[in-house]
Amino acid sequence: MTREEKRVIAASSAGTVFEWYDFYLYGSLAAIIGAQFFTPFPEATRNVFALLAFAAGFIVRPFGALVFGALGDLVGRKYTFLMTILIMGASTFLVGLLPNYYQWGVAAPVILIILRMLQGLALGGEYGGAAVYVAEHAPIGQRGYYTAFIQTTATLGLLLSLIVIISVQGYVNGNYPDQPVLDAAGAAMSNPDGTPMMQKAFNAWGWRIPFLGSVILLLISLYIRLQMHESPAFKKMKEEGTASKAPLKEAFGTWKNGKFALIALFGLTMGQAVVWYSGQFYALFFLQNVVKVDSFTANVLVAWSLILGTAGFLFFGSLSDRIGRKPIILAGCLIAALTYFPVFEALTRVANPALHAAHQTPVTVTANPDDCSFQFNPTGTAKFTSSCDIAKAQLARTSVNYTTVEDPAATTATIQIGDTVINSYDAGAVTGDEAKTAKTAFETGVNDALKAAGYPLVAADNTSVAVASNFVDIFTGQKLAIIAILTYLILLVTMVYGPIAAMLCELFPTRIRYSGMSLPYHIGNGWFGGLLPATAFAISAQSGNIYSGLWYAIIVAAATVVIGAIFVPGGTQNKSMFTDDPNHKVHH
């Protein structure tokens, strides 16, 4: 690797790391931000909303790919970099300044989603440009290895965001007192026993610091981008006058090139995306919100798995130069589809043994099917007051695995926990003191039965759950086992993601490469991947099984294996990036 090639990779990777850091701050803090900006909604709906706000950035990524991909093919890779980093940095900084729900009402979550969409537009142009820029500098035989450095940036950006969050969280919570929890009107909330409901200072206001601090990374990124030169392939193309005048039309308007976009989407990026987000973001969300590991400990454990597994990107990128991209990517998708259920079950068993043991007690909800509804409320107007909805919501809050038994003759839903049966109640049929009495009796009955079945309902009393007191507090059998499981998931990520940039670049000619590879990548990762956490959580909440949401990732990954095996071309690692320059003399 020449000095110039090293500088190209370092400059591209460093700037892209900072963009991913900005983008993933929200994902790492989704649960905390959800409580700040979606305050009026029930907890289950709030969690889905928080994940959908995270996914909003992914939904618009294909549009960013179209806009900035076309610009990259028309005016060059370098200037597109500068635009994307400015949009990303400014949007992230403004999230840190944005007032929460009780200060600005519904305007707060609306503006939050707009800022997330701006981040997604910027990232839609960023990744494709970085991958193409490096690929066009790489010699034949090392393209997978060179572009693998770009592939590490997403994970390194996530790791950087976790390290910053852990550091700020430790400092703020250690030096500032707890704060009261506020409702949508800004009034302090109380626990059922009348004591004030409190939250850590980081959850109240400290989460803003990592967003505000990103302005420093913005300045560094701008300096790095200004030092970069244009891609030699793009310069050569412009000098010869062979650049495309309508890259989007040329890339997607004809079957000759358009078919490769479809092949890339359904035979590569669709499965790669769900494996990526399952192994990193959903694993983090699963630990925090389902297994009930505290957010600091979950971030520490995921951060260590990222440190241990990141080298896999370079290994599999380099390996793909020798044996091909296709077999490695499809093998990663297949292994993930076959092992996700036992791996996530093992994660629960190791991280929270008490919760896993409690899951062995059968729990059933018997109800009239007409009495049960899908409890995701995107408008905030629906009222889930039926006895079935109340029963399911109560169990979902405590990560209970249960089955639903349909009984058309049932007038009131019942919950059976072991041998104990608790009658639910219809909140719409009672009011005033009668409603309070029914609610208290029901919740007390359910909680008593769950405690008897071993469910750890009080976090402070659960001595079995994993807890890390600091970043290096990992040297116990339990925490090392969790890190090993998470590292396995990261290695699957590196299998599918390490070779993907080189593979996508090799499918399209130079004149439309930026546009051609960006769109299928960002549809796959923005839509199939970005929607995974919210979709998986909603499926699990509806079905009553904390693992059922994994079916989404498994089905998509398996479909990619089948489609990719049939339609994706092999041997692309031996292909020249320039049809008129098979020996890559342009690089020398």
Side-chain angles (χ1 to χ4, degrees):
M1 191 181 294
T2 67
R3 180 179 179 183
E4 174 65 15
E5 289 168 341
K6 290 178 181 177
R7 195 170 72 87
V8 165
I9 291 174
S12 301
S13 300
T16 310
V17 164
F18 296 151
E19 286 229 23
W20 282 113
Y21 164 83
D22 285 353
F23 194 73
Y24 285 138
L25 272 182
Y26 181 95
S28 302
L29 297 171
I32 293 174
I33 293 176
Q36 294 286 327
F37 290 93
F38 303 102
T39 309
F41 303 107
E43 184 176 359
T45 303
R46 183 194 306 161
N47 283 336
V48 176
F49 265 6
L51 289 171
L52 284 176
F54 175 61
F58 291 89
I59 293 171
V60 301
R61 276 170 58 176
F63 302 103
L66 290 173
V67 173
F68 293 110
L71 285 174
D73 284 328
L74 288 169
V75 304
R77 320 320 192 194
K78 173 182 175 179
Y79 297 105
T80 308
F81 278 166
L82 293 174
M83 296 175 63
T84 57
I85 197 70
L86 277 171
I87 296 172
M88 177 67 78
S91 301
T92 304
F93 182 75
L94 290 175
V95 170
L97 295 177
L98 184 63
N100 57 23
Y101 190 94
Y102 85 84
Q103 292 171 316
W104 276 18
V106 72
V110 170
I111 295 173
L112 174 69
I113 292 173
I114 291 173
L115 292 174
R116 288 289 304 157
M117 294 173 73
L118 286 174
Q119 287 182 320
L121 286 172
L123 193 57
E126 165 63 26
Y127 172 82
V132 168
Y133 189 79
V134 173
E136 291 180 346
H137 279 84
I140 288 178
Q142 290 185 283
R143 220 160 28 230
Y145 176 62
Y146 278 43
T147 56
F149 284 94
I150 294 296
Q151 302 307 90
T152 67
T153 59
T155 296
L156 291 175
L158 173 58
L159 176 61
L160 179 62
S161 70
L162 291 178
I163 290 175
V164 171
I165 290 169
I166 290 168
S167 302
V168 173
Q169 189 176 34
Y171 176 81
V172 170
N173 289 342
N175 291 275
Y176 294 90
D178 292 353
Q179 302 290 311
V181 177
L182 305 179
D183 61 17
M189 299 177 65
S190 300
N191 293 311
D193 60 1
T195 58
M197 188 179 295
M198 305 296 287
Q199 62 182 331
K200 294 293 185 182
F202 181 82
N203 293 30
W205 56 267
W207 63 269
R208 297 179 181 274
I209 296 175
F211 286 91
L212 298 174
S214 68
V215 70
I216 299 173
L217 300 181
L218 172 60
L219 297 175
I220 296 173
S221 300
L222 282 174
Y223 174 79
I224 292 173
R225 294 286 164 87
L226 288 169
Q227 309 307 308
M228 297 170 68
H229 299 293
E230 190 51 83
S231 154
F234 184 84
K235 288 194 295 184
K236 181 174 183 290
M237 182 179 65
K238 294 291 282 187
E239 291 167 0
E240 295 173 348
T242 58
S244 175
K245 293 180 173 57
L248 295 182
K249 181 179 180 180
E250 187 174 341
F252 310 114
T254 64
W255 179 245
K256 178 182 177 181
N257 292 320
K259 66 181 179 182
F260 287 108
L262 293 175
I263 290 171
L265 172 60
F266 295 108
L268 292 171
T269 63
M270 180 176 72
Q272 166 260 303
V274 297
V275 174
W276 202 99
Y277 288 100
S278 295
Q280 296 194 151
F281 272 101
Y282 189 65
L284 177 61
F285 183 83
F286 186 83
L287 270 179
Q288 291 176 329
N289 294 277
V290 179
V291 184
K292 305 301 183 182
V293 175
D294 71 88
S295 62
F296 178 84
T297 300
N299 284 336
V300 166
L301 298 174
V302 171
W304 274 107
S305 72
L306 295 175
I307 292 171
L308 294 173
T310 296
F313 291 110
L314 302 180
F315 172 78
F316 288 112
S318 179
L319 183 63
S320 74
D321 286 327
R322 299 192 293 275
I323 69 171
R325 330 283 188 210
K326 174 180 173 177
I328 296 174
I329 295 170
L330 298 187
C333 290
L334 180 60
I335 295 170
L338 293 175
T339 62
Y340 269 173
F341 276 124
V343 166
F344 276 84
E345 190 271 340
L347 193 58
T348 305
R349 183 176 65 253
V350 175
N352 194 340
L355 177 63
H356 182 267
H359 282 161
Q360 311 315 307
T361 300
V363 178
T364 58
V365 174
T366 302
N368 187 326
D370 295 334
D371 197 30
C372 304
S373 56
F374 186 65
Q375 296 188 55
F376 173 52
N377 178 20
T379 63
T381 56
K383 301 296 182 182
F384 302 113
T385 59
S386 73
S387 61
C388 176
D389 291 344
I390 288 174
K392 289 188 172 184
Q394 180 70 17
L395 296 176
R397 280 194 291 270
T398 46
S399 297
V400 176
N401 271 346
Y402 64 89
T403 56
T404 302
V405 176
E406 296 184 355
D407 181 3
T411 57
T412 301
T414 61
I415 299 175
Q416 181 170 350
I417 304 171
D419 296 327
T420 305
V421 177
I422 305 100
N423 291 320
S424 184
Y425 68 100
D426 188 340
V430 292
T431 58
D433 291 339
E434 185 181 359
K436 292 181 180 179
T437 301
K439 181 176 184 293
T440 300
F442 169 70
E443 292 181 353
T444 300
V446 172
N447 288 338
D448 287 346
L450 290 175
K451 288 178 183 177
Y455 275 90
L457 301 185
V458 180
D461 297 337
N462 185 6
T463 58
S464 74
V465 70
V467 178
S469 58
N470 55 66
F471 189 73
V472 295
D473 181 20
I474 60 169
F475 297 102
T476 66
Q478 181 187 34
K479 281 173 278 192
L480 289 175
I482 297 171
I483 292 172
I485 294 171
L486 294 172
T487 302
Y488 168 80
L489 294 173
I490 298 300
L491 289 177
L492 292 180
V493 170
T494 64
M495 285 186 71
V496 299
Y497 199 61
I500 198 79
M503 182 80 185
L504 293 175
C505 289
E506 289 158 358
L507 290 177
F508 297 93
T510 308
R511 54 193 282 118
I512 59 167
R513 183 168 292 134
Y514 201 148
S515 302
M517 67 87 67
S518 292
L519 186 62
Y521 174 83
H522 286 293
I523 290 179
N525 285 270
W527 293 356
F528 286 96
L531 291 175
L532 182 143
T535 304
F537 180 81
I539 292 172
S540 294
Q542 175 65 14
S543 68
N545 187 297
I546 63 173
Y547 306 111
S548 60
L550 295 170
W551 276 115
Y552 173 82
I554 290 170
I555 292 172
V556 172
T560 293
V561 173
V562 175
I563 296 170
I566 298 172
F567 295 106
V568 173
T572 59
Q573 75 275 14
N574 299 317
K575 176 184 175 183
S576 171
M577 297 284 277
F578 316 97
T579 55
D580 58 343
D581 183 25
N583 296 318
H584 275 214
K585 294 178 181 177
V586 69
H587 293 133
H588 306 293

